[in-house]
PDB file of all heavy atoms in Angstrom:
ATOM      1  N   LEU L 396     110.452  99.647 119.807  1.00 98.00           N
ATOM      2  CA  LEU L 396     111.708  99.598 119.062  1.00 98.00           C
ATOM      3  C   LEU L 396     112.219 101.042 118.920  1.00 98.00           C
ATOM      4  O   LEU L 396     113.398 101.279 118.836  1.00 98.00           O
ATOM      5  CB  LEU L 396     111.496  98.937 117.684  1.00 98.00           C
ATOM      6  CG  LEU L 396     112.650  98.927 116.735  1.00 98.00           C
ATOM      7  CD1 LEU L 396     113.836  98.122 117.331  1.00 98.00           C
ATOM      8  CD2 LEU L 396     112.266  98.290 115.409  1.00 98.00           C
ATOM      9  N   ALA L 397     111.283 101.983 118.794  1.00 98.00           N
ATOM     10  CA  ALA L 397     111.675 103.389 118.609  1.00 98.00           C
ATOM     11  C   ALA L 397     110.694 104.316 119.319  1.00 98.00           C
ATOM     12  O   ALA L 397     109.575 103.905 119.638  1.00 98.00           O
ATOM     13  CB  ALA L 397     111.700 103.699 117.132  1.00 98.00           C
ATOM     14  N   ASP L 398     111.159 105.553 119.554  1.00 98.00           N
ATOM     15  CA  ASP L 398     110.266 106.573 120.154  1.00 98.00           C
ATOM     16  C   ASP L 398     109.315 107.161 119.142  1.00 98.00           C
ATOM     17  O   ASP L 398     108.235 107.635 119.466  1.00 98.00           O
ATOM     18  CB  ASP L 398     111.108 107.707 120.765  1.00 98.00           C
ATOM     19  CG  ASP L 398     112.066 107.206 121.803  1.00 98.00           C
ATOM     20  OD1 ASP L 398     111.580 106.689 122.834  1.00 98.00           O
ATOM     21  OD2 ASP L 398     113.304 107.300 121.611  1.00 98.00           O
ATOM     22  N   GLY L 399     109.769 107.126 117.861  1.00 98.00           N
ATOM     23  CA  GLY L 399     108.960 107.705 116.807  1.00 98.00           C
ATOM     24  C   GLY L 399     109.420 107.187 115.481  1.00 98.00           C
ATOM     25  O   GLY L 399     110.360 106.372 115.377  1.00 98.00           O
ATOM     26  N   ILE L 400     108.760 107.648 114.412  1.00 98.00           N
ATOM     27  CA  ILE L 400     109.129 107.206 113.053  1.00 98.00           C
ATOM     28  C   ILE L 400     109.237 108.424 112.148  1.00 98.00           C
ATOM     29  O   ILE L 400     108.621 109.480 112.386  1.00 98.00           O
ATOM     30  CB  ILE L 400     108.088 106.206 112.447  1.00 98.00           C
ATOM     31  CG1 ILE L 400     106.693 106.879 112.337  1.00 98.00           C
ATOM     32  CG2 ILE L 400     108.018 104.932 113.261  1.00 98.00           C
ATOM     33  CD1 ILE L 400     105.710 106.078 111.483  1.00 98.00           C
ATOM     34  N   VAL L 401     110.004 108.252 111.063  1.00 98.00           N
ATOM     35  CA  VAL L 401     109.920 109.165 109.951  1.00 98.00           C
ATOM     36  C   VAL L 401     109.505 108.303 108.755  1.00 98.00           C
ATOM     37  O   VAL L 401     110.189 107.317 108.439  1.00 98.00           O
ATOM     38  CB  VAL L 401     111.273 109.885 109.706  1.00 98.00           C
ATOM     39  CG1 VAL L 401     111.243 110.591 108.335  1.00 98.00           C
ATOM     40  CG2 VAL L 401     111.543 110.862 110.806  1.00 98.00           C
ATOM     41  N   ASP L 402     108.384 108.635 108.176  1.00 98.00           N
ATOM     42  CA  ASP L 402     107.847 107.778 107.120  1.00 98.00           C
ATOM     43  C   ASP L 402     106.997 108.586 106.133  1.00 98.00           C
ATOM     44  O   ASP L 402     106.669 109.735 106.363  1.00 98.00           O
ATOM     45  CB  ASP L 402     107.024 106.636 107.752  1.00 98.00           C
ATOM     46  CG  ASP L 402     106.838 105.449 106.798  1.00 98.00           C
ATOM     47  OD1 ASP L 402     107.580 105.395 105.789  1.00 98.00           O
ATOM     48  OD2 ASP L 402     105.965 104.612 107.040  1.00 98.00           O
ATOM     49  N   ILE L 403     106.658 107.877 105.070  1.00 96.00           N
ATOM     50  CA  ILE L 403     105.792 108.429 104.019  1.00 96.00           C
ATOM     51  C   ILE L 403     104.336 108.322 104.433  1.00 96.00           C
ATOM     52  O   ILE L 403     103.902 107.258 104.897  1.00 96.00           O
ATOM     53  CB  ILE L 403     105.957 107.616 102.703  1.00 96.00           C
ATOM     54  CG1 ILE L 403     107.377 107.668 102.196  1.00 96.00           C
ATOM     55  CG2 ILE L 403     104.965 108.084 101.640  1.00 96.00           C
ATOM     56  CD1 ILE L 403     107.768 108.981 101.617  1.00 96.00           C
ATOM     57  N   VAL L 404     103.566 109.391 104.234  1.00 97.00           N
ATOM     58  CA  VAL L 404     102.135 109.332 104.411  1.00 97.00           C
ATOM     59  C   VAL L 404     101.471 109.719 103.096  1.00 97.00           C
ATOM     60  O   VAL L 404     101.794 110.762 102.511  1.00 97.00           O
ATOM     61  CB  VAL L 404     101.668 110.295 105.543  1.00 97.00           C
ATOM     62  CG1 VAL L 404     100.155 110.465 105.501  1.00 97.00           C
ATOM     63  CG2 VAL L 404     102.074 109.761 106.864  1.00 97.00           C
ATOM     64  N   GLU L 405     100.587 108.856 102.630  1.00 95.00           N
ATOM     65  CA  GLU L 405      99.838 109.192 101.400  1.00 95.00           C
ATOM     66  C   GLU L 405      98.412 109.485 101.784  1.00 95.00           C
ATOM     67  O   GLU L 405      97.995 110.632 101.754  1.00 95.00           O
ATOM     68  CB  GLU L 405      99.931 107.982 100.425  1.00 95.00           C
ATOM     69  CG  GLU L 405     100.836 108.220  99.259  1.00 95.00           C
ATOM     70  CD  GLU L 405     100.914 106.989  98.384  1.00 95.00           C
ATOM     71  OE1 GLU L 405      99.967 106.768  97.610  1.00 95.00           O
ATOM     72  OE2 GLU L 405     101.918 106.292  98.485  1.00 95.00           O
ATOM     73  N   THR L 406      97.662 108.481 102.154  1.00 95.00           N
ATOM     74  CA  THR L 406      96.275 108.709 102.563  1.00 95.00           C
ATOM     75  C   THR L 406      96.171 108.910 104.076  1.00 95.00           C
ATOM     76  O   THR L 406      95.193 109.447 104.569  1.00 95.00           O
ATOM     77  CB  THR L 406      95.414 107.465 102.198  1.00 95.00           C
ATOM     78  OG1 THR L 406      95.954 106.353 102.905  1.00 95.00           O
ATOM     79  CG2 THR L 406      95.457 107.187 100.718  1.00 95.00           C
ATOM     80  N   GLY L 407      97.163 108.462 104.809  1.00 96.00           N
ATOM     81  CA  GLY L 407      97.160 108.568 106.272  1.00 96.00           C
ATOM     82  C   GLY L 407      96.517 107.335 106.930  1.00 96.00           C
ATOM     83  O   GLY L 407      96.521 107.211 108.153  1.00 96.00           O
ATOM     84  N   THR L 408      96.031 106.416 106.113  1.00 97.00           N
ATOM     85  CA  THR L 408      95.307 105.242 106.656  1.00 97.00           C
ATOM     86  C   THR L 408      96.217 104.366 107.508  1.00 97.00           C
ATOM     87  O   THR L 408      95.820 103.908 108.593  1.00 97.00           O
ATOM     88  CB  THR L 408      94.746 104.414 105.501  1.00 97.00           C
ATOM     89  OG1 THR L 408      94.110 105.276 104.604  1.00 97.00           O
ATOM     90  CG2 THR L 408      93.757 103.363 105.998  1.00 97.00           C
TER      91      THR L 408
END
Side-chain angles (χ1 to χ4, degrees):
L396 175 61
D398 300 299
I400 60 168
V401 168
D402 200 14
I403 299 287
V404 167
E405 253 177 77
T406 60
T408 313

